[in-house]
Amino acid sequence: MRCLRLSLLILFCGTQWLFSQAPTEVFLDSTEVENLNEVIISATRTKRQLASVPLPTQLISAKAIAAANSIRLNDILEEQTGLLMVPDYGGVEGLQMQGLDSQYNLILIDGVPLIGRSAGTLDLSRVTVGNIKQIEIVKGPSSSLYGNEALAGVVNIITQTPKTGFGGRFYYRGGTFSSNDLSTELSYKKDKLGLYAFVNRFSNEGYDLVDSDDVNTVEPFHNYTFNTKINYEFSEKVKLFVSGRLYRQVQDNVASASYDGESQIDEWNFHSKLELKFNESWDSQFEFYATTYKAEEFLNDTAGNLFSYSDFKQRFLRPEFRTVFKPNAQNSFIAGVGVQFESLQRTDFFGYPKFNSSYLYSQYEYTKNDEFNLILGLRFDRHNEYTSQLSPKAAARYKFNDKLAVKGSVSYGFKTPDFRQLYFDFTNATVGYTVLGYNAVTTLIPELEANGDIASLLVPLSVFEGNLKPERSIGYNFGIDLGIDPKLKINLNLFRNEISNLIDTRVIARKTNGQNVFSYYNVNEIYTQGLEFNASLKFNKNTVLTTGYQLLYAKDKKAVQAFKNGEVFARLTPTSPAFALSKKDYFGLLNRSRHMLNFKLSYHMQKWNLDSNIRATYRSKFGLYDNNGNGYLDAYDTFVSGYSIFDFAINKTIFEHYKLGFGMDNFLDFNDPQNISNIAGRIVYGNVTINF
Amino acid sequence: MKSYNTYKTLIFLSIFVFTSCNDDEGSPLPAKQYSQITNLHAPMTGGQGQEPSSGSYTKFDFATASVTTSDTDWDIAFRATTIIVNGGTSTGDVDEPERNGNAAAYIKNLPFSEVTSVVVSDFTQDSLEGLAIPTGSGNGWYTYTGPPEHIILPIPGKTLVIRTRDFKYAKIEILSYYKDLDDSVASNARYYNFNYLYNANENETTF
């Protein structure tokens, strides 16, 4: 009974579990019990034991982040199986998961979404890991719980919460490229009140890997993150949580020798939650979330006159109410209802678009003695700009014995057309082409025609009177958990995502300047499929090897058909005759590697209280663009060669409260600035942590 | 083995017969002329930014197998990535030559050597609605790689089938858009390299 009560209490606390954990516990050797204690919230929106969740999940603890001496979210994610950080325009890095791009992943902080995708990619180097308690990754579509954007998966960043008593932490890491990362954390909790404050400053002098141009690969920048939290327990039954987060980044903006300026990002989030526990089986949460993301940049010419300016200001507001009903140990229900308001002001935009949506979701869970677990979920989203979405999910796990369990899930995910795809009004100043959002076409094409800019219209305007449809996917996952013996654990997951209505651009009109007008339309059907393998082998109490592998096929269905039909050709040399390619010559989508591999060997030297690890990631060849003109990535294109990155880190704890660290990321100094702009080369660093 | 020998003999015989035929006719020009054109310069002004693209087209005449400045005796013409035919109506383009012939074109998705005959009903001419050889990446004869390379690549297996101004037929495979096939320098762009086969016999639809 006490156990049940405890679990209910933790359930009730939502994201605030583990509050009683001592601050230093993170650095103790707890690998032996770790697997039993790992809990995950994101998979079901209630606290669940990681091992029993019937979905493919990954969990990164604060301890693992500290062992790798990571400072930004992208640093730690890129070391995980099947996850890849892909550089995009403007130096941002987005996450690729199960072969799907950053725009199809939902990134949450304490269960609420991060916004600010100026070109579709959400830059994860924006997020410091200094206040992260745990990172939860749920792969496969999760729109049945999270709605929009949860098409490939969800990454939920769980941040630290107040711990009993007064405590704090100071952290500094300095390294190559004059990189300085400084964090301070204060925490107080007594009786009913819990307070938490965190501040981080991260700066980097930038670096340049290509000497031939006037711009740096990364321009100098500095940024600040502030986070404060208040927890207050009015009574055993009523609890309040309030959190605020501020982020500001300032970076040099250099376009060429004659144009330079600055770019600035300002973001704030306000997140509050009132938790009510009515009795043993009922509890409810009122959640309110508001956030704004603003990016501005300008360029001046050499005389100091303004040459260009652009801005992007997105607002997002969401109240949500949810209730958990748990009549007994076997059954639990969760239901939620919410509304969402979103708006965007942006340079090169048609009007001041606003999105309003409302949603309703429910989920049923059945658990029988840790042997069988079933999840059935359904969510309905209604939106002012696109068709309503119904997102179901079914998942089950069956444990045959302590050594073998199988799990499988089928789920639906969707991503609505974003503001850009609907309202863009952009004309390239140097080349002269125009890109129009779907909803802007019927107004702006007649305007362009009136100006005499249109030579001919290729797609009739009537096509744009309907709605652009959300991109959608159905994901299938099937996994096996093998505990061959306590020292060797293996996990295997097969996945397939079928994506339809994928939005692409096409030419809709020819301009009198010889260029084209583009707009968006639903066209492609793609699939990504493969397998993921994770294993951990514990040689002894102090030495652990973990490894992961992902096999991936990511293909466009029309392309597969075109190759099959012999409609795609290539040449061996520029002047040799063209010949037909076959289905096996089609490699797949750009920037996808067939194989990704990682290793991590950790060693704890008890005598010296020293933790060290060596980590490696490998990515097989991939193509960044079609080199032979047929429009597809095929066996006769030039590929970027596969590569490996090796890191090592060593951390020593002194007098329990102090920790010194040293390490080298990418110690073999691999870099390929032409093709992989987010790999900087070798980074040497040292760090110090003081817990008090 | 026996049948193989018979087959060989037949091939040998047929080659002999065809060869003798050609000798007997003794026409001054071979009906089918295969040729390679290198570095045909197709410059353009404007077209960057807001200003309309302009500049004269580089005109090509199949009958003389050469570039021409004639206002009438041309079949196709090039300006940057745009290829027009001497047939149809004006597209409203600045500096386009007057179309006074009966030329037309279509693109066949087959390697050059496999295009052995002409499908007369597939021909279209230039008009306000578009060009017989469409422009734009992936629409016609090329793809554009976009940033960071910004290269124009001919699509392998796209054969341009041309009706000349005077109802003769030709087929073209474009090999490169760059001077000396070197696309590493941007200034090499707008130099066409292509192979073609021209059938000088009027209305003969085979190659």
Side-chain angles (χ1 to χ4, degrees), chain A residues 89 427-432 453 455-458 507 510-516 566-571 574-580 625-631 674-675, chain B residues 47-53 91-93 109-112 114 127-131 135-137 139 142-143 145 147-149 151 153-158 173-175 181 195:
Chain A
Y89 304 117
T427 296
N428 182 293
T430 48
V431 183
D453 291 335
S456 65
L457 198 62
L458 305 176
V507 175
R510 293 199 315 122
K511 295 179 77 177
T512 46
N513 66 3
Q515 295 294 328
N516 295 308
E567 292 163 3
V568 184
F569 305 88
R571 296 177 197 278
T575 53
S576 69
F579 58 93
Y625 69 103
D626 165 46
N627 314 92
N628 58 7
N630 59 21
Q674 289 299 339
N675 298 309
Chain B
Q48 308 283 307
Q50 300 305 304
E51 135 192 44
S53 35
T91 61
D93 178 59
N109 194 27
L110 265 185
F112 185 71
E114 291 173 36
S127 73
L128 209 54
E129 272 64 59
L131 298 171
T135 57
S137 176
N139 301 327
Y142 68 90
T143 56
T145 63
E149 278 78 14
I151 294 171
L153 297 168
I155 304 172
K158 293 276 183 194
E173 64 169 341
I174 298 172
L175 302 173
L181 312 178
N195 296 334

Side-chain angles (χ1 to χ4, degrees), chain A residues 470-606:
Chain A
E471 299 171 293
R472 56 204 201 98
S473 92
I474 299 174
Y476 305 89
N477 283 276
F478 177 77
I480 298 171
D481 296 330
L482 282 173
I484 293 169
D485 72 49
K487 288 179 175 154
L488 177 63
K489 288 197 170 60
I490 292 175
N491 169 282
L492 192 73
N493 187 53
L494 296 164
F495 64 88
R496 180 171 170 103
N497 294 297
E498 298 249 9
I499 297 112
S500 54
N501 282 342
L502 212 65
I503 295 171
D504 203 354
T505 53
R506 67 172 158 177
V507 175
I508 60 161
R510 293 199 315 122
K511 295 179 77 177
T512 46
N513 66 3
Q515 295 294 328
N516 295 308
V517 180
F518 297 88
S519 187
Y520 299 89
Y521 73 135
N522 292 108
V523 59
N524 292 340
E525 291 192 6
I526 63 163
Y527 68 85
T528 71
Q529 67 178 26
L531 74 84
E532 188 181 314
F533 168 88
N534 282 290
S536 87
L537 175 62
K538 201 168 165 189
F539 293 105
N540 55 50
K541 208 177 155 207
N542 297 316
T543 315
V544 182
L545 174 74
T546 59
T547 178
Y549 167 74
Q550 180 182 272
L551 173 72
L552 173 69
Y553 292 86
K555 296 186 172 183
D556 184 307
K557 288 186 185 175
K558 266 192 195 154
V560 172
Q561 197 57 46
F563 276 83
K564 220 172 166 178
N565 296 346
E567 292 163 3
V568 184
F569 305 88
R571 296 177 197 278
L572 286 174
T573 69
T575 53
S576 69
F579 58 93
L581 298 176
S582 70
K583 199 180 150 191
K584 66 169 177 36
D585 294 321
Y586 177 44
F587 189 81
L589 303 179
L590 300 176
N591 217 337
R592 267 75 174 179
S593 292
R594 190 77 73 230
H595 311 283
M596 289 205 293
L597 196 61
N598 66 67
F599 288 99
K600 179 181 171 186
L601 182 65
S602 314
Y603 177 66
H604 175 70
M605 197 194 276
Q606 232 153 359

Side-chain angles (χ1 to χ4, degrees), chain A residues 84-293:
Chain A
L84 180 70
M85 297 309 304
V86 177
D88 202 348
Y89 304 117
V92 304
E93 284 185 56
L95 175 67
Q96 189 186 96
M97 190 196 286
Q98 289 195 343
L100 291 168
D101 275 343
S102 166
Q103 48 182 324
Y104 305 107
N105 300 313
L106 180 63
I107 311 290
L108 307 168
I109 293 190
D110 293 323
V112 290
L114 264 186
I115 60 164
R117 300 166 182 257
S118 53
T121 299
L122 194 70
D123 182 22
L124 297 185
S125 63
R126 204 168 103 196
V127 182
T128 174
V129 299
N131 60 339
I132 292 180
K133 185 154 67 185
Q134 166 161 309
I135 302 167
E136 305 182 353
I137 300 154
V138 181
K139 294 181 178 174
S142 294
S143 290
S144 69
L145 270 183
Y146 295 101
N148 188 20
E149 290 177 358
L151 195 139
V154 175
V155 175
N156 191 4
I157 297 146
I158 311 293
T159 60
Q160 296 286 1
T161 45
K163 293 154 193 163
T164 304
F166 177 77
R169 193 173 70 98
F170 168 86
Y171 175 85
Y172 170 76
R173 174 179 141 162
T176 310
F177 310 126
S178 302
S179 143
N180 291 293
D181 186 67
L182 189 70
S183 288
T184 305
E185 181 183 74
L186 293 171
S187 160
Y188 170 81
K189 189 174 196 292
K190 199 182 174 195
D191 302 329
K192 293 176 170 180
L193 182 69
L195 296 170
Y196 174 84
F198 171 81
V199 56
N200 170 263
R201 183 186 188 278
F202 177 49
S203 65
N204 191 314
E205 268 186 7
Y207 55 87
D208 193 13
L209 300 172
V210 185
D211 292 331
S212 58
D213 57 14
D214 296 319
V215 299
N216 288 320
T217 311
V218 170
E219 300 293 346
F221 66 86
H222 64 269
N223 62 45
Y224 293 91
T225 308
F226 299 92
N227 183 209
T228 55
K229 285 179 179 177
I230 302 167
N231 284 350
Y232 191 77
E233 297 176 23
F234 292 96
S235 71
E236 281 277 306
K237 294 184 172 179
V238 183
K239 292 181 187 183
L240 179 72
F241 153 84
V242 180
S243 164
R245 181 173 169 274
L246 277 176
Y247 173 77
R248 165 174 284 193
Q249 173 166 289
V250 178
Q251 184 166 24
D252 290 357
N253 183 20
V254 181
S256 65
S258 41
Y259 297 109
D260 64 14
E262 211 171 74
S263 65
Q264 185 170 326
I265 296 169
D266 283 287
E267 180 197 350
W268 62 258
N269 317 49
F270 174 82
H271 182 195
S272 68
K273 199 156 54 180
L274 182 68
E275 303 172 346
L276 306 168
K277 182 172 159 58
F278 303 108
N279 55 45
E280 294 280 296
S281 9
W282 282 98
D283 64 80
S284 294
Q285 301 182 355
F286 287 100
E287 186 174 70
F288 178 81
Y289 176 59
T291 179
T292 294
Y293 174 90

